[in-house]
Amino acid sequence: MYRYRVERMNMWISRHLVVIWLYLHFSEASPRYSNGFFYQDAMNGNGNGEIHFSGVRLHVESPRSTVAAVQGSNATLPCHYRYEPEIHTPRRTRVKWFRLSSTDGSLEEDVMVAIGTRHRSYGGFRGRVRLRREAPGDASLVISPLTVDDTGLYRCEVIDGLEDESVTVGLEFRGVVFPYYSSRGRYQMNFHEAKQVCEEQGATLATFDQLFAAWEEGLDWCNAGWLADGTAQYPVSTPREACGGAHLAPGLRSYGLRHQHLDHFDAFCFTASLKGTVYFLEQPRRVNFTEAAQACRDAGSEMAKVGQLYAGWRFQGLDRCDAGWLADGSVRYPISRPRANCGPEEAGVRTFGYPPRQQKHGVYCYMPHW
Ligand SMILES: *[C@@H]1O[C@H](CO)[C@@H](O)[C@H](O)[C@H]1NC(C)=O
Ligand SMILES: *[C@@H]1O[C@H](CO)[C@@H](O)[C@H](O)[C@H]1NC(C)=O
């Protein structure tokens, strides 16, 4: 930030040295630099070389501090700038997008720079980013397609002469939280095992915020699971005696921080939306677990993981009233439109646990899109 300001200051000074000199000698008012917000604008932008001075304030704003996107699709990070008072003459405004690559924001990675209609993108963003420019002052960044590494905090900086103003916008992937228990049974996993099973399902241990968002969307689950912060909690929408008490308000019930080796719970996993497709494999007959794995391979796919089935249900509207094998040996089916004979009245992924592997069922496969 400081670096850029000094660089531009030097350029500005050499270009306008004479003007500054004139200004200092012939203006009664002292130059007003109020922490970079106000500036005295000399010979800038009106195109006919007329010298005039005016205090103009640049505003840079974003209506959203976080954007949630679907991995593999595209995302627009909103950023708008305007002048106060309004300026009608065109200006050479420079827009610069960075990504802050450390939590304290001290490291910046260039994403793109745009001046007028020209723009340039950098590194892994090359060819994938552009400014939306739907209206004057629209400096929103469009990223298309989104890759796995694109989440994080972005900064939109608008530079006009000595002025610069910026706003930050976070990008995260939309995802779904799902409860997971071990094939050994309920409450069998310590923290490290819980972390590992989530990873095996193409997911991560959910954070408190992710579980909270899932609870807001209606997740109700009466078994405590590990979260990424080492606490064990569970979400209750409909308070009842068996789930911490009927008298308590709906919310997350917490067991607090637990011992990471000695305490055992289930897990809450989080998976981001996916680019590939999860589908029920059409077959003439039902199959055991080994045949199911082979059938997916024969179809050029792989057996779906639990996280993939949840993502397909949540983001691709997967709806199928047929129980099918998944890669972890569990049998489940996804219902988006609840109906008779397809489980409870709420949408959700129905789970039959881990039946003996010689049992015959359908199978859900996953086809990645490259
Ligand atoms: C963004 O994605 C939508 C739908 O996925 C598509 O219609 C649109 O053209 C995409 N926009 C860009 C800029 O790629
Ligand atoms: C599934 O069936 C095949 C025969 O079609 C058999 O060879 C295999 O052992 C069975 N697998 C299991 C897990 O029962």
Side-chain angles (χ1 to χ4, degrees), residues 288 290-291 357-358:
N288 69 28
T290 25
E291 294 165 328
R357 296 196 169 192
Q358 64 271 20

Side-chain angles (χ1 to χ4, degrees), residues 70-86:
V70 175
Q71 197 176 314
S73 70
N74 51 40
T76 303
L77 308 185
C79 174
H80 302 272
Y81 64 89
R82 60 185 171 82
Y83 294 92
E84 199 181 281
E86 213 175 314

Side-chain angles (χ1 to χ4, degrees), residues 172-249:
E172 58 187 37
F173 288 137
R174 284 209 292 160
V176 55
V177 169
F178 60 93
Y180 194 85
Y181 68 90
S182 161
S183 55
R184 288 175 283 133
R186 292 281 182 194
Y187 288 178
Q188 293 297 317
M189 296 180 289
N190 68 25
F191 177 75
H192 303 283
E193 290 162 334
K195 201 162 175 250
Q196 194 189 332
V197 293
C198 287
E199 280 160 18
E200 285 165 4
Q201 295 317 310
T204 54
L205 267 183
T207 64
F208 174 83
D209 289 343
Q210 288 163 348
L211 184 63
F212 188 81
W215 168 76
E216 286 183 314
E217 289 171 8
L219 183 64
D220 185 291
W221 196 259
C222 214
N223 293 284
W226 287 104
L227 295 184
D229 62 4
T231 61
Q233 318 206 17
Y234 61 97
V236 176
S237 311
T238 315
R240 50 201 187 275
E241 215 42 64
C243 305
H247 56 287
L248 288 176

Side-chain angles (χ1 to χ4, degrees), residues 93-96 112-120 131 133:
T93 310
R94 198 156 84 116
V95 175
K96 199 157 183 188
M112 83 170 301
V113 177
I115 305 170
T117 53
R118 294 184 315 163
H119 63 89
R120 178 168 178 184
L131 290 194
R133 294 204 186 285

